[in-house]
Amino acid sequence: MGVIRQIWPVERGLDDHDLEQLYRYPADPRWVAVNFVSSTDGAITVEGRSASLSTPADRIVYRLGNDLADVVLVGAGTAMAEGFEGMRPDERSADRRRRFGLAPIAPVAVVTTGRSLPPDAPVITKAAVPTLVFTSAAAPSSLRDEWAANGARVFVVGATEVPASEVVSTLVAEGLGRIDCEGGPRLFGSLIEAGVVDEFRLTVAPFLVAGASSRAAVGGVIDPASLELASVLTDGKSVLLRYVIPR
């Protein structure tokens, strides 16, 4: 892999410390950063998974998102499709979390209406720390009990849907305000509609995919939200973009 360089707002080479400073979460009680990788023609998956699009540079910033967050937020469909099993920091990640004053392991928070998250989902049963499951009152109580019996902490935050604003406010109340969201598109769309996204981190990978792959965000129609470009990095192949959303 080529060396990652910043090409905007200034050109410079970047070491690990520089990357940590770029991707660290600001001193804010709530910061929601959303991460996606996309092909150059806009596809976010190949055969239903994003892993085929990820590049060495993307994996570096993906890891930074995990390492520097209080919690990793994901939709249940994405958790199942991608085989999420929770975070397991290696020595390098553990050291990074220590230096930034973070808990040894970031929990995963999963959003589901119930149908998409079986009680034995790996993101629950194989997680090193309890997974937080956010669901609605419409999810069967028996299913909620099974999630809890398998080690999850279950939060009911809506009647029939799961309001993104309540998910985020509950995480903040739990002391988990540095939120790394890793999709999927419906969760991202609901976060946009709720007005709680603070940063969008997009890797443009050097692939053409075509087909009928989904876009990064789907949901209700909103007035276009204005973004501010924060940084542009590249390793000579992938382009790593960071945008912030003014509050």
Side-chain angles (χ1 to χ4, degrees), residues 89-100:
D90 59 16
E91 184 176 341
R92 184 177 186 183
S93 293
D95 173 69
R96 179 177 283 156
R97 293 187 67 82
R98 281 194 300 271
R99 286 189 287 107
F100 280 83

Side-chain angles (χ1 to χ4, degrees), residues 55-122:
T55 63
D58 176 62
R59 287 188 283 275
I60 288 174
V61 298
Y62 174 88
R63 181 175 181 175
L64 283 163
N66 291 169
D67 289 352
L68 299 176
D70 291 318
V71 62
V72 177
L73 176 63
V74 64
T78 296
M80 295 301 295
E82 302 289 348
F84 270 52
E85 296 182 357
M87 301 297 109
R88 287 180 174 77
D90 59 16
E91 184 176 341
R92 184 177 186 183
S93 293
D95 173 69
R96 179 177 283 156
R97 293 187 67 82
R98 281 194 300 271
R99 286 189 287 107
F100 280 83
L102 297 163
I105 300 175
V108 176
V110 184
V111 177
T112 179
T113 56
R115 299 179 296 275
S116 53
L117 188 68
D120 60 351

Side-chain angles (χ1 to χ4, degrees), residues 36 44 184-186 188-189 192 214-219:
F36 268 89
I44 62 163
R186 293 197 179 279
F188 185 18
I192 293 171
S214 177
R215 56 188 292 177
V218 297

Side-chain angles (χ1 to χ4, degrees), residues 140-150 154:
S141 59
S142 58
L143 179 58
R144 302 200 302 262
D145 290 343
E146 287 183 279
W147 290 329
N150 284 337
V154 180

Side-chain angles (χ1 to χ4, degrees), residues 129-208:
V129 295
T131 293
L132 287 67
V133 176
F134 287 87
T135 192
S136 72
S141 59
S142 58
L143 179 58
R144 302 200 302 262
D145 290 343
E146 287 183 279
W147 290 329
N150 284 337
R153 297 179 62 201
V154 180
F155 298 83
V156 178
V157 295
T160 57
E161 301 297 327
V162 185
S165 59
E166 292 190 39
V167 172
V168 170
S169 63
T170 302
L171 290 173
V172 172
E174 290 285 321
L176 304 171
R178 289 166 286 199
I179 301 168
D180 173 35
C181 178
E182 298 183 356
R186 293 197 179 279
L187 177 57
F188 185 18
S190 68
L191 292 167
I192 293 171
E193 287 181 75
V196 294
V197 178
D198 298 292
E199 183 177 347
F200 182 37
R201 301 170 176 177
L202 175 65
T203 296
V204 181
F207 305 113
L208 292 173

